[in-house]
Amino acid sequence: MSTPSKTSHRKRRALLTSLFTAASLLLAGSAAADTTVRIGFQKSSTLITLLRSQGTLEQVLGEQGVKVSWHEFPSGLPLLEALNVGNVDFSADVADTVPVFAQAAGARLVYVAQEAPSPTAQAILVHGDSGIDDLADLKGKRVAVTKAAGSHYLLIQALKKAGLSFADIRPSYLTPADGRAAFENRNVDAWVVWEPFLTSAQRQLNPRILADGSDGLADYQRYYLSSTGFARQHPEIVATLFEELRKSGEWLRTNPAAAAEILGPLWGGLDPEIVEVANRKRSYEVRLVQRDSLSEQQRIADTFHAEGLLPVKVNANDVDIWAP
């Protein structure tokens, strides 16, 4: 039989254990409630834009005690720079070229997801009345392109197909908005751009497409990434982001007109019909990243390095890949 002192000791120990467990649960709940995922995006970040406009992530992550903050960037390279230095936690889709440049700068990022290839979702445009009839005619011409964007790689590959190098043209490194202004004002001879800017320009400026990514020129896959620290500390949040992006892609493909009605006003008042046409050129098939699928990333890295546009050689496989 237990003595009174032993019984009292056991009761105190049980009480302390109960109090400790309750305190731990409160602290865990408090930590979750204090967590904010900072999402970086571009204007062309279609699926993230849909989730943001519909409040989906705030609702789903809010049930986990997680808040969301949004941070817009003019293009992919500054977005990944912000991700690398810890100013954002998760990156909406960036073109396949952008992580390669980030790697060259020493960034350690995590590939979370990719969209299946969309080779016709970017193109080289020339003026409708231009005397530029084929790729070889770009020699000596001024071409607007966004540095490190997928369109940058497309331009290099197109020039190579014509027997030219990047040094044979006069590049103007411009954001999509500035590139359009330069093209519209005829300050450049050609403009390389992606959707939805591409279809908008086609409908409003009457250009000609000199080349797109077809015929193996450029697959144009877009990637979603996370900072290494955030992916390690919050795998459950990354898993939620992946699943909501996947579902958003499915919804867009099933409801193209409804998606265009939402996106049009958010993309500078674009006509929904233009948005729907633009979206048809993107796969929006969100899937896990497989290491063997990074072969295109290696080709991109080797191409930029050979042109002297990437200061160091990059091993495209020297990256972290998230898996649920």
Short mmCIF file of all heavy atoms in Angstrom, two decimals, residues 19-53:
data_model
loop_
_atom_site.label_atom_id
_atom_site.label_comp_id
_atom_site.label_asym_id
_atom_site.label_seq_id
_atom_site.Cartn_x
_atom_site.Cartn_y
_atom_site.Cartn_z
N LEU A 19 -0.01 20.41 -16.28
CA LEU A 19 0.20 21.85 -16.49
C LEU A 19 1.24 22.09 -17.58
O LEU A 19 1.10 22.99 -18.41
CB LEU A 19 0.63 22.51 -15.18
CG LEU A 19 -0.43 22.63 -14.09
CD1 LEU A 19 0.21 23.11 -12.78
CD2 LEU A 19 -1.53 23.59 -14.54
N PHE A 20 2.30 21.29 -17.59
CA PHE A 20 3.36 21.44 -18.59
C PHE A 20 2.82 21.17 -19.99
O PHE A 20 3.09 21.89 -20.94
CB PHE A 20 4.51 20.47 -18.28
CG PHE A 20 5.62 20.53 -19.29
CD1 PHE A 20 6.55 21.57 -19.28
CD2 PHE A 20 5.73 19.56 -20.28
CE1 PHE A 20 7.57 21.63 -20.22
CE2 PHE A 20 6.73 19.61 -21.23
CZ PHE A 20 7.66 20.65 -21.20
N THR A 21 1.99 20.11 -20.10
CA THR A 21 1.40 19.76 -21.40
C THR A 21 0.49 20.88 -21.90
O THR A 21 0.53 21.29 -23.06
CB THR A 21 0.59 18.45 -21.30
OG1 THR A 21 1.46 17.42 -20.85
CG2 THR A 21 -0.01 18.07 -22.64
N ALA A 22 -0.32 21.42 -20.99
CA ALA A 22 -1.23 22.51 -21.37
C ALA A 22 -0.44 23.74 -21.81
O ALA A 22 -0.78 24.40 -22.80
CB ALA A 22 -2.14 22.85 -20.20
N ALA A 23 0.64 24.03 -21.07
CA ALA A 23 1.46 25.20 -21.41
C ALA A 23 2.12 25.01 -22.76
O ALA A 23 2.21 25.94 -23.57
CB ALA A 23 2.53 25.42 -20.34
N SER A 24 2.58 23.78 -23.04
CA SER A 24 3.22 23.49 -24.32
C SER A 24 2.24 23.69 -25.47
O SER A 24 2.57 24.24 -26.51
CB SER A 24 3.76 22.05 -24.34
OG SER A 24 4.75 21.89 -23.35
N LEU A 25 1.01 23.21 -25.26
CA LEU A 25 -0.01 23.38 -26.31
C LEU A 25 -0.32 24.84 -26.55
O LEU A 25 -0.49 25.28 -27.70
CB LEU A 25 -1.29 22.62 -25.92
CG LEU A 25 -1.18 21.08 -25.95
CD1 LEU A 25 -2.44 20.46 -25.35
CD2 LEU A 25 -0.96 20.60 -27.39
N LEU A 26 -0.39 25.63 -25.46
CA LEU A 26 -0.66 27.05 -25.61
C LEU A 26 0.46 27.75 -26.35
O LEU A 26 0.24 28.59 -27.22
CB LEU A 26 -0.85 27.68 -24.22
CG LEU A 26 -2.19 27.40 -23.53
CD1 LEU A 26 -2.15 27.90 -22.09
CD2 LEU A 26 -3.33 28.05 -24.31
N LEU A 27 1.71 27.38 -26.01
CA LEU A 27 2.86 27.98 -26.67
C LEU A 27 2.90 27.62 -28.14
O LEU A 27 3.20 28.44 -29.00
CB LEU A 27 4.16 27.54 -25.97
CG LEU A 27 4.43 28.18 -24.61
CD1 LEU A 27 5.62 27.50 -23.94
CD2 LEU A 27 4.70 29.68 -24.76
N ALA A 28 2.59 26.35 -28.44
CA ALA A 28 2.59 25.91 -29.84
C ALA A 28 1.53 26.66 -30.62
O ALA A 28 1.74 27.10 -31.75
CB ALA A 28 2.34 24.40 -29.91
N GLY A 29 0.32 26.80 -30.00
CA GLY A 29 -0.74 27.53 -30.68
C GLY A 29 -0.37 28.97 -30.90
O GLY A 29 -0.64 29.55 -31.94
N SER A 30 0.30 29.57 -29.91
CA SER A 30 0.73 30.95 -30.02
C SER A 30 1.76 31.11 -31.13
O SER A 30 1.71 32.05 -31.91
CB SER A 30 1.33 31.42 -28.69
OG SER A 30 1.86 32.72 -28.81
N ALA A 31 2.70 30.14 -31.22
CA ALA A 31 3.73 30.21 -32.28
C ALA A 31 3.10 30.12 -33.65
O ALA A 31 3.48 30.83 -34.58
CB ALA A 31 4.75 29.10 -32.08
N ALA A 32 2.10 29.21 -33.79
CA ALA A 32 1.44 29.06 -35.08
C ALA A 32 0.70 30.34 -35.45
O ALA A 32 0.72 30.79 -36.59
CB ALA A 32 0.47 27.88 -35.04
N ALA A 33 0.05 30.92 -34.44
CA ALA A 33 -0.73 32.13 -34.70
C ALA A 33 0.17 33.29 -35.11
O ALA A 33 -0.26 34.19 -35.81
CB ALA A 33 -1.55 32.49 -33.47
N ASP A 34 1.42 33.25 -34.63
CA ASP A 34 2.35 34.33 -34.95
C ASP A 34 3.06 34.14 -36.29
O ASP A 34 3.80 35.01 -36.72
CB ASP A 34 3.40 34.47 -33.84
CG ASP A 34 2.80 35.02 -32.56
OD1 ASP A 34 1.71 35.62 -32.65
OD2 ASP A 34 3.41 34.83 -31.50
N THR A 35 2.87 32.98 -36.94
CA THR A 35 3.56 32.69 -38.19
C THR A 35 2.89 33.44 -39.34
O THR A 35 1.67 33.41 -39.50
CB THR A 35 3.55 31.18 -38.48
OG1 THR A 35 4.25 30.50 -37.44
CG2 THR A 35 4.23 30.89 -39.82
N THR A 36 3.71 34.09 -40.15
CA THR A 36 3.23 34.74 -41.36
C THR A 36 4.06 34.24 -42.53
O THR A 36 5.29 34.24 -42.47
CB THR A 36 3.37 36.28 -41.27
OG1 THR A 36 2.55 36.77 -40.21
CG2 THR A 36 2.94 36.94 -42.58
N VAL A 37 3.40 33.78 -43.58
CA VAL A 37 4.11 33.39 -44.79
C VAL A 37 4.08 34.57 -45.76
O VAL A 37 3.02 35.08 -46.11
CB VAL A 37 3.52 32.11 -45.43
CG1 VAL A 37 2.04 32.26 -45.73
CG2 VAL A 37 4.27 31.77 -46.72
N ARG A 38 5.26 35.04 -46.14
CA ARG A 38 5.39 36.19 -47.02
C ARG A 38 5.57 35.67 -48.45
O ARG A 38 6.57 35.02 -48.76
CB ARG A 38 6.57 37.04 -46.60
CG ARG A 38 6.45 37.60 -45.18
CD ARG A 38 7.79 38.12 -44.67
NE ARG A 38 8.78 37.04 -44.60
CZ ARG A 38 10.09 37.25 -44.38
NH1 ARG A 38 10.54 38.49 -44.21
NH2 ARG A 38 10.92 36.23 -44.33
N ILE A 39 4.60 35.95 -49.31
CA ILE A 39 4.59 35.41 -50.66
C ILE A 39 4.96 36.49 -51.67
O ILE A 39 4.32 37.54 -51.73
CB ILE A 39 3.21 34.82 -51.01
CG1 ILE A 39 2.87 33.69 -50.03
CG2 ILE A 39 3.19 34.32 -52.45
CD1 ILE A 39 1.50 33.09 -50.23
N GLY A 40 6.00 36.24 -52.44
CA GLY A 40 6.41 37.15 -53.51
C GLY A 40 5.80 36.71 -54.82
O GLY A 40 5.70 35.52 -55.11
N PHE A 41 5.37 37.69 -55.63
CA PHE A 41 4.73 37.35 -56.90
C PHE A 41 5.00 38.44 -57.92
O PHE A 41 5.46 39.53 -57.60
CB PHE A 41 3.22 37.16 -56.71
CG PHE A 41 2.48 38.41 -56.31
CD1 PHE A 41 1.79 39.15 -57.26
CD2 PHE A 41 2.48 38.87 -55.00
CE1 PHE A 41 1.10 40.31 -56.90
CE2 PHE A 41 1.82 40.02 -54.63
CZ PHE A 41 1.12 40.75 -55.59
N GLN A 42 4.71 38.12 -59.20
CA GLN A 42 4.76 39.08 -60.29
C GLN A 42 3.34 39.29 -60.81
O GLN A 42 2.44 38.51 -60.49
CB GLN A 42 5.63 38.54 -61.43
CG GLN A 42 7.02 38.11 -61.05
CD GLN A 42 7.71 37.41 -62.20
OE1 GLN A 42 7.99 37.99 -63.24
NE2 GLN A 42 7.98 36.12 -62.02
N LYS A 43 3.18 40.28 -61.64
CA LYS A 43 1.85 40.51 -62.21
C LYS A 43 1.39 39.31 -63.03
O LYS A 43 0.21 39.00 -63.11
CB LYS A 43 1.86 41.77 -63.08
CG LYS A 43 0.46 42.24 -63.49
CD LYS A 43 0.49 43.56 -64.21
CE LYS A 43 0.84 44.70 -63.27
NZ LYS A 43 -0.24 44.95 -62.27
N SER A 44 2.35 38.60 -63.65
CA SER A 44 2.00 37.44 -64.48
C SER A 44 1.86 36.15 -63.69
O SER A 44 1.73 35.08 -64.27
CB SER A 44 3.06 37.26 -65.57
OG SER A 44 4.35 37.06 -65.01
N SER A 45 1.90 36.22 -62.37
CA SER A 45 1.78 35.02 -61.52
C SER A 45 0.31 34.63 -61.42
O SER A 45 -0.39 34.94 -60.45
CB SER A 45 2.36 35.29 -60.13
OG SER A 45 3.73 35.63 -60.20
N THR A 46 -0.15 33.91 -62.42
CA THR A 46 -1.58 33.68 -62.60
C THR A 46 -2.23 32.97 -61.41
O THR A 46 -3.24 33.43 -60.86
CB THR A 46 -1.83 32.86 -63.88
OG1 THR A 46 -1.13 33.46 -64.96
CG2 THR A 46 -3.30 32.79 -64.19
N LEU A 47 -1.71 31.82 -61.04
CA LEU A 47 -2.38 31.01 -60.02
C LEU A 47 -2.34 31.69 -58.66
O LEU A 47 -3.33 31.67 -57.92
CB LEU A 47 -1.76 29.62 -59.95
CG LEU A 47 -1.83 28.80 -61.26
CD1 LEU A 47 -1.28 27.40 -61.04
CD2 LEU A 47 -3.26 28.75 -61.79
N ILE A 48 -1.21 32.29 -58.33
CA ILE A 48 -1.12 33.03 -57.06
C ILE A 48 -2.08 34.21 -57.07
O ILE A 48 -2.71 34.53 -56.06
CB ILE A 48 0.32 33.50 -56.82
CG1 ILE A 48 1.19 32.34 -56.31
CG2 ILE A 48 0.37 34.66 -55.83
CD1 ILE A 48 0.86 31.85 -54.92
N THR A 49 -2.21 34.87 -58.23
CA THR A 49 -3.14 36.00 -58.33
C THR A 49 -4.58 35.54 -58.09
O THR A 49 -5.36 36.22 -57.42
CB THR A 49 -3.02 36.66 -59.71
OG1 THR A 49 -1.69 37.16 -59.88
CG2 THR A 49 -4.00 37.83 -59.85
N LEU A 50 -4.94 34.38 -58.65
CA LEU A 50 -6.29 33.84 -58.41
C LEU A 50 -6.49 33.54 -56.93
O LEU A 50 -7.52 33.90 -56.35
CB LEU A 50 -6.49 32.57 -59.24
CG LEU A 50 -6.76 32.75 -60.73
CD1 LEU A 50 -6.80 31.38 -61.42
CD2 LEU A 50 -8.06 33.50 -60.98
N LEU A 51 -5.52 32.88 -56.32
CA LEU A 51 -5.65 32.54 -54.89
C LEU A 51 -5.74 33.80 -54.04
O LEU A 51 -6.50 33.85 -53.07
CB LEU A 51 -4.46 31.69 -54.46
CG LEU A 51 -4.39 30.27 -55.05
CD1 LEU A 51 -3.06 29.62 -54.70
CD2 LEU A 51 -5.55 29.43 -54.55
N ARG A 52 -4.96 34.80 -54.42
CA ARG A 52 -4.97 36.05 -53.65
C ARG A 52 -6.31 36.76 -53.80
O ARG A 52 -6.88 37.25 -52.81
CB ARG A 52 -3.84 36.97 -54.15
CG ARG A 52 -3.72 38.26 -53.38
CD ARG A 52 -2.68 39.16 -54.02
NE ARG A 52 -2.53 40.40 -53.27
CZ ARG A 52 -2.12 41.54 -53.78
NH1 ARG A 52 -1.82 41.61 -55.07
NH2 ARG A 52 -2.01 42.62 -53.04
N SER A 53 -6.83 36.84 -55.01
CA SER A 53 -8.08 37.57 -55.24
C SER A 53 -9.27 36.88 -54.58
O SER A 53 -10.23 37.54 -54.17
CB SER A 53 -8.34 37.70 -56.74
OG SER A 53 -8.62 36.42 -57.32
#
